Amino acid sequence: MRKNLRTFFLVAGFLALARSLSFAVVVEQVIVAIDGEPYTLGNIKSYAESKMRRPFPKGDLNRIEKDDKEVLEQFITEKLVAAEIKRLGIAISPADIDQYIEEIKKRNQLTDEELTEALRREGLTREQYREQVRNELEKGQIVQREVREKVNVTADDVQRYYQQNGKKFMTREKFHLRHILLALSPQATPAEEKQARERIAELRRQLLAGEDFAKLAKSFSEGSGAHEGGDLGWINRGTLVPEIEEAAAKLAVGQVSQPVRTSLGFHLIKLEGKKGGEVPPLEEVADKIKEELYAKTLEERFQKWLKTDLRKRYRVDVKLPGVVFRPEEDKGSTLNTLMASASRKSKKERSFLSYLNPLSYIARETPVEDDQGQPTGTNVLSVFGIPLFRTADDDAPPDPFATPEPKKDAGESKGFFSSLNPFSSQ
């Protein structure tokens, strides 16, 4: 009897322990498997919080929305890149990391203590920061190996591009102007306006009779440059008051305009000189064309590797309803088509102090200026000094998980590690 009771209690205790253990074990949902390696909801949630500074998921994973797609997309891409780094045997030495950090300190005039304090405020230890630097330097090595070494732009490429797109390099038209202004206040009476109109007409008659424009401007003009004889210097077309620009565009060099009425009053315009508005010879723009073609081809080569070659090497299974990860189809390149359309990119978020972010040294956006040194609203994104592609400030990022559309131009590819379009709904 005692033996039976003892056996009963042992079995009951074992069952109770097993039941309590079964309640303690929590099986996490697997979101994606890369070459058989599973990554759970917890893995991606931690990635989203630490790398992208956002929660995951924001919505229902049974109907995945844009914000969650972006997190998942970038997570998968970084895992693929990490796998490729390991496969290629790319290794960054401690000396390479030290050199990078010293460059950061030098560029931003930081002492060692100031760098450590800045890292502390960002929630990073020195070792965590070194690990970030190592990861980004490894990625830079891939860019060098898979992109830059495989791109070459020839003189024939430059000539063909010039023949098809010469108007893109047309110089900006400029006017050298003088003007006389008889100012009128916004509250001027009809009588005051009539008097100013008669005075400006009389000045024009004197000019047509041979009077010196500079002399009359010094005596009567109430506008800028009056002391210099009304000289406004060289002005780019498109920067003038519309009424004045319209009048100037109709003049031949040396001519004086009819009186021009603006909100400031009455003007007389004299065109002293005109230049620009011409397509320069090839030799003057060959270097610029080669740089543009090189940057565009680098981008296309990188996108091909990232979206096609890299994805074909690894198997990715997304464990979410109706979502499939697949490589993109190969697209034609600029050097094959020499299309004139420019690539437009979405702006990237920066979640870490710019002067500490490892990518701030590796990846840099440089504003593009026109022939007169004015910003064009376009930037060139460079990685390790390699101009990968251009970005436009006014673009909104497209939905990277949108249902695939018909094949488009290579010039419509998206940016570095973002908007990769690898998913389609089934």
Side-chain angles (χ1 to χ4, degrees):
M1 181 69 177
R2 288 180 180 177
K3 184 177 180 181
N4 290 338
L5 286 173
R6 186 169 58 207
T7 302
F8 172 78
F9 284 121
L10 285 172
V11 171
F14 175 77
L15 291 174
L17 177 62
R19 185 178 180 186
S20 66
L21 287 174
S22 68
F23 282 114
V25 174
V26 177
V27 178
E28 271 205 280
Q29 179 183 358
V30 174
I31 301 297
V32 63
I34 301 175
D35 269 5
E37 180 73 21
Y39 294 96
T40 66
L41 178 61
N43 296 139
I44 301 175
K45 183 179 293 187
S46 176
Y47 174 87
E49 292 172 352
S50 62
K51 294 290 186 70
M52 301 182 73
R53 302 292 174 94
R54 65 172 73 173
F56 182 90
K58 278 189 175 181
D60 184 357
L61 288 181
N62 290 318
R63 292 185 62 186
I64 189 167
E65 300 295 335
K66 180 180 178 181
D67 286 345
D68 293 331
K69 292 172 186 177
E70 289 175 352
V71 173
L72 182 57
E73 178 184 15
Q74 187 160 321
F75 177 86
I76 293 172
T77 300
E78 290 209 7
K79 291 300 180 184
L80 295 183
V81 172
E84 192 68 359
I85 289 169
K86 183 177 180 180
R87 186 186 73 82
L88 295 173
I90 293 174
I92 301 298
S93 70
D96 294 329
I97 298 174
D98 291 340
Q99 182 180 355
Y100 170 85
I101 293 177
E102 287 303 314
E103 179 67 22
I104 289 293
K105 289 163 57 180
K106 180 179 177 182
R107 284 171 179 261
N108 296 281
Q109 299 180 340
L110 294 172
T111 65
D112 204 55
E113 292 75 17
E114 288 170 337
L115 176 62
T116 301
E117 175 59 22
L119 290 171
R120 185 193 66 77
R121 290 196 300 268
E122 289 293 318
L124 287 174
T125 66
R126 194 65 175 254
E127 287 307 310
Q128 287 172 327
Y129 181 56
R130 289 180 65 86
E131 182 66 15
Q132 280 193 357
V133 170
R134 182 183 65 79
N135 290 338
E136 300 307 331
L137 291 175
E138 288 171 342
K139 293 173 187 176
Q141 289 292 318
I142 283 190
V143 171
Q144 173 72 18
R145 184 180 305 193
E146 298 295 335
V147 179
R148 190 174 190 179
E149 294 178 354
K150 299 178 181 180
V151 171
N152 181 44
V153 177
T154 68
D156 287 342
D157 297 327
V158 171
Q159 185 172 12
R160 288 198 302 272
Y161 191 85
Y162 175 79
Q163 290 171 349
Q164 295 184 23
N165 304 282
K167 289 184 179 179
K168 288 182 63 178
F169 305 97
M170 183 178 291
T171 57
R172 195 169 184 178
E173 196 170 15
K174 291 183 174 184
F175 301 125
H176 181 191
L177 300 178
R178 290 183 185 271
H179 87 139
I180 295 172
L181 168 64
L182 298 184
L184 278 175
S185 73
Q187 292 78 33
T189 65
E192 290 172 332
E193 181 161 347
K194 179 182 178 182
Q195 183 181 16
R197 188 186 300 275
E198 290 173 351
R199 286 178 58 206
I200 203 75
E202 175 58 29
L203 289 175
R204 185 171 187 272
R205 282 193 291 271
Q206 294 179 39
L207 291 170
L208 295 180
E211 190 66 63
D212 182 62
F213 194 101
K215 180 180 177 181
L216 290 182
K218 287 180 181 181
S219 300
F220 299 102
S221 181
E222 300 167 305
S224 60
H227 295 299
E228 290 77 37
D231 193 356
L232 299 178
W234 287 97
I235 303 174
N236 292 327
R237 184 164 186 173
T239 61
L240 293 164
V241 174
E243 297 91 341
I244 293 178
E245 182 164 301
E246 183 180 352
K250 297 176 181 178
L251 298 175
V253 174
Q255 280 189 325
V256 176
S257 70
Q258 293 285 343
V260 179
R261 179 68 162 100
T262 73
S263 60
L264 299 176
F266 286 99
H267 306 255
L268 289 176
I269 306 298
K270 182 181 180 183
L271 182 64
E272 295 281 10
K274 186 177 181 180
K275 62 183 179 181
E278 301 172 345
V279 177
L282 174 60
E283 55 268 22
E284 290 185 14
V285 293
D287 290 342
K288 186 175 181 179
I289 292 175
K290 186 170 184 178
E291 180 182 343
E292 183 174 325
L293 278 178
Y294 188 66
K296 190 171 179 60
T297 309
L298 279 171
E299 174 203 354
E300 290 168 352
R301 174 64 206 174
F302 180 77
Q303 292 297 325
K304 178 182 181 297
W305 176 80
L306 193 67
K307 300 188 201 179
T308 305
D309 301 347
L310 180 62
R311 293 174 188 172
K312 284 180 178 179
R313 190 177 296 279
Y314 300 93
R315 179 178 177 181
V316 178
D317 296 317
V318 181
K319 309 296 185 180
L320 295 175
V323 180
V324 177
F325 183 98
R326 57 166 59 97
E328 286 190 358
E329 295 182 9
D330 195 5
K331 300 174 180 179
S333 68
T334 293
L335 291 185
N336 289 335
T337 62
L338 290 181
M339 297 299 291
S341 59
S343 299
R344 299 172 68 82
K345 310 291 167 211
S346 61
K347 296 178 73 175
K348 312 314 170 291
E349 293 183 2
R350 293 178 181 263
S351 59
F352 190 47
L353 288 176
S354 62
Y355 58 84
L356 298 179
N357 187 349
L359 274 177
S360 68
Y361 175 61
I362 297 170
R364 181 177 303 126
E365 287 191 359
T366 305
V368 176
E369 297 179 344
D370 60 22
D371 294 337
Q372 285 71 46
Q374 300 298 317
T376 63
T378 302
N379 304 319
V380 172
L381 180 65
S382 301
V383 176
F384 269 111
I386 308 167
L388 286 182
F389 49 74
R390 297 191 175 205
T391 64
D393 292 340
D394 57 352
D395 283 358
D399 180 1
F401 283 65
T403 303
E405 297 179 356
K407 192 172 180 180
K408 295 182 179 180
D409 230 25
E412 297 181 19
S413 58
K414 307 300 180 287
F416 182 60
F417 284 169
S418 64
S419 301
L420 303 176
N421 299 312
F423 299 92
S424 61
S425 300
Q426 286 190 336

